[in-house]
Amino acid sequence: MANFAKPSAPRFSVEVYQNEFLAEGSRDVHAIVTVTSTGGAAATRTAVAPGGAAVVIMVDCSGSMEYPPEKMRGAREATAAAVDTLRDGTAFAVLAGTHVAKEVYPGQGRLALADPVTRAQAKEALRGLSSGGGTAIGTWLRLADGLLRQSTAAIRHGILLTDGRNEHEDPAVLRATLDACAGRFTCDARGVGTDWEVKEVTGIAGALLGTADIVADPAHLAEDFTRMMENVMGKEVADVSLRLWTPVGAEVLYVKQVAPAVQDLTGRRTQAGPRAGDYPTGSWGDESREYHVCVRVAGAAVGQEMLAARASLVMPGAPGEDPAVLAQGLVRAVWTDDLAASTAINQQVAHYTGQAELAQAIQQGLEARKLGDVGGATAKLGRAVQLASASGNADTAKLLAKVVDVVDAAAGTVRLKAKVADADEMTLETRSTQTVRVRKS
């Protein structure tokens, strides 16, 4: 029987990086808010307390998964590897997804609790996975949501694998499903092979605050699924929000996660009292993330200063209690007539503004390439090469070099390659939002 020691909750800290000095007449305040969670016990535990975590794995079993057969075989092996990575006490289920969703294990609308017996039973059930039928991803997510909603787990997570497009479901149905599931569980999404739609997979992960990636070679699925499940097992605090309070006359223009990947949270705001709004950040383990906050304040005279925003990390309290404040930081504005002070750009703000532009340039460049706009694609992808080089984003630079011939990285001079493998283009598009941290001085 597993021993469930009382876990130690991670500690949160908030750091704010900005140039608080504004020129007379300026109103927009930019800041990078770095949130760090440390000291959790997940890394040292071999089991979780009952109700601590619940995971549903959704495996594409549509007809295309048999072409080539390595995809279906890789999916079975990857799911088995993920099941093996579950810690004792984790609630879990496995679903097969086609134009409908079916329970593979444990069945009957239930979740199983991970232990040596249930893990072995689940892996035996995976032998029965076969391909046939269409693809309607919304049905998979709805079944996963139903299973996870019956669990009392604090950490609720889905892992979704697909190899094709969502062809047997109206796009509006998938959008409505994602809207309904948002905030109820997080979900990592993976595309295997090269016949799936990047925007669909990244859209699922973005809506459900998870990660998206390509696994072009099915032989690498087990490694990727193991890594994903290890990450899920490291989560300890769920439903954490970044709360921004602003004074009278100020408004939040945008909030974007900028590390480890770019994700716009602006439209996800929910009101949290007078002049305060919450932006969802999902579940946390031992990790650090960074957010770019832009606030427009009322103008003020030279020499005046004000609190432009208060950034707090909050999580739901017990029933009937206020949310718990985990950490907070302050965003300031000071008006000056010192030109050097007001025009200096904070290093962190400049870096992550460039990383966001890099992601956008890649996406726009690839779209132009698909439309046959050689000039537009060359300009955008050239700018992406320049930004990747300047910021030290070596991983993205390598991916770009598979799509363009780089003549001068510093100047952004490139030529489009005549032939590009589908896997290389899709990998660049899928990973375009991944960023690098500010270089240490």
Side-chain angles (χ1 to χ4, degrees):
M1 182 178 294
N3 245 345
F4 298 110
K6 185 177 180 180
S8 61
R11 295 183 298 274
F12 284 84
S13 64
V14 170
E15 296 175 280
V16 176
Y17 299 94
Q18 65 166 134
N19 175 16
E20 66 266 35
F21 294 105
L22 299 177
E24 187 174 14
S26 296
R27 297 178 57 198
D28 291 354
V29 181
H30 293 264
I32 298 299
V33 178
T34 299
V35 179
T36 304
S37 168
T38 58
T44 60
R45 291 206 308 273
T46 57
V48 296
V55 185
V56 175
I57 304 172
M58 294 160 270
V59 183
D60 191 337
C61 291
S62 60
S64 58
M65 283 291 287
E66 204 58 50
Y67 302 97
E70 287 78 13
K71 280 196 288 189
M72 197 69 239
R73 184 162 60 247
R76 291 190 202 96
E77 292 172 353
T79 305
V83 168
D84 273 336
T85 310
L86 291 165
R87 287 205 302 267
D88 283 358
T90 303
F92 77 102
V94 179
L95 309 182
T98 59
H99 53 285
V100 294
K102 296 180 180 178
E103 298 175 63
V104 175
Y105 183 84
Q108 298 181 332
R110 299 176 297 116
L111 294 166
L113 283 183
D115 62 26
V117 172
T118 58
R119 280 193 288 266
Q121 290 173 344
K123 288 187 289 183
E124 182 62 31
L126 291 173
R127 296 177 182 272
L129 284 183
S130 60
S131 57
T135 305
I137 295 174
T139 65
W140 315 354
L141 292 167
R142 287 193 293 274
L143 180 53
D145 183 40
L147 290 169
L148 290 168
R149 287 179 75 181
Q150 66 178 263
S151 171
T152 59
I155 306 298
R156 301 169 304 280
H157 198 89
I159 289 177
L160 185 150
L161 175 71
T162 185
D163 82 320
R165 295 169 175 81
N166 198 43
E167 296 176 327
H168 297 84
E169 183 175 63
D170 190 292
V173 174
L174 178 58
R175 285 196 298 272
T177 300
L178 291 171
D179 288 343
C181 293
R184 293 211 282 253
F185 67 96
T186 55
C187 185
D188 294 322
R190 295 293 185 267
V192 60
T194 57
D195 293 326
W196 48 279
E197 180 62 47
V198 172
K199 288 183 174 61
E200 277 183 356
V201 170
T202 56
I204 290 166
L208 300 180
L209 299 177
T211 64
D213 206 351
I214 178 175
V215 186
D217 184 350
H220 296 149
L221 274 173
E223 176 188 352
D224 185 73
F225 267 46
T226 299
R227 190 165 50 244
M228 269 195 294
M229 192 62 81
E230 287 173 345
N231 185 55
V232 176
M233 293 295 94
K235 301 297 184 185
E236 296 190 85
V237 179
D239 302 325
V240 176
S241 294
L242 176 64
R243 175 169 295 178
L244 291 179
W245 173 92
T246 52
V248 173
E251 63 172 323
V252 178
L253 295 186
Y254 60 79
V255 177
K256 299 176 183 178
Q257 178 184 286
V258 288
V262 177
Q263 187 171 32
D264 195 342
L265 300 177
T266 310
R268 309 286 289 273
R269 176 186 174 109
T270 56
Q271 205 62 24
R275 302 192 302 280
D278 286 353
Y279 300 85
T281 68
S283 303
W284 289 72
D286 279 17
E287 59 188 295
S288 181
R289 304 180 203 168
E290 304 195 70
Y291 302 88
H292 186 169
V293 173
C294 180
V295 179
R296 179 163 292 167
V297 297
V302 169
Q304 288 191 289
E305 61 179 274
M306 67 177 292
L307 178 62
R310 181 188 299 112
S312 306
L313 262 290
V314 299
M315 62 179 293
E321 295 182 1
D322 291 334
V325 177
L326 306 172
Q328 68 177 28
L330 305 179
V331 180
R332 300 172 64 239
V334 181
W335 282 265
T336 180
D337 55 7
D338 183 332
L339 185 63
S342 64
T343 56
I345 301 177
N346 176 268
Q347 181 189 13
Q348 276 86 355
V349 172
H351 175 82
Y352 289 116
T353 299
Q355 293 292 285
E357 185 189 350
L358 169 59
Q360 186 177 54
I362 291 171
Q363 292 160 13
Q364 292 176 343
L366 291 176
E367 186 63 26
R369 185 179 177 278
K370 291 173 186 175
L371 296 174
D373 178 2
V374 174
T378 302
K380 290 295 183 182
L381 293 174
R383 176 59 175 157
V385 166
Q386 185 180 40
L387 290 165
S389 174
S391 65
N393 196 330
D395 289 342
T396 298
K398 289 176 185 175
L399 295 176
L400 281 162
K402 294 183 178 182
V403 176
V404 296
D405 292 315
V406 180
V407 179
D408 186 337
T413 306
V414 303
R415 287 190 298 265
L416 298 185
K417 288 185 181 289
K419 290 186 178 180
V420 177
D422 289 343
D424 290 335
E425 183 175 358
M426 292 175 71
T427 301
L428 176 60
E429 185 176 0
T430 306
R431 298 179 184 171
S432 62
T433 59
Q434 294 181 6
T435 58
V436 292
R437 304 275 181 182
V438 174
R439 287 172 174 169
K440 302 258 185 208
S441 298

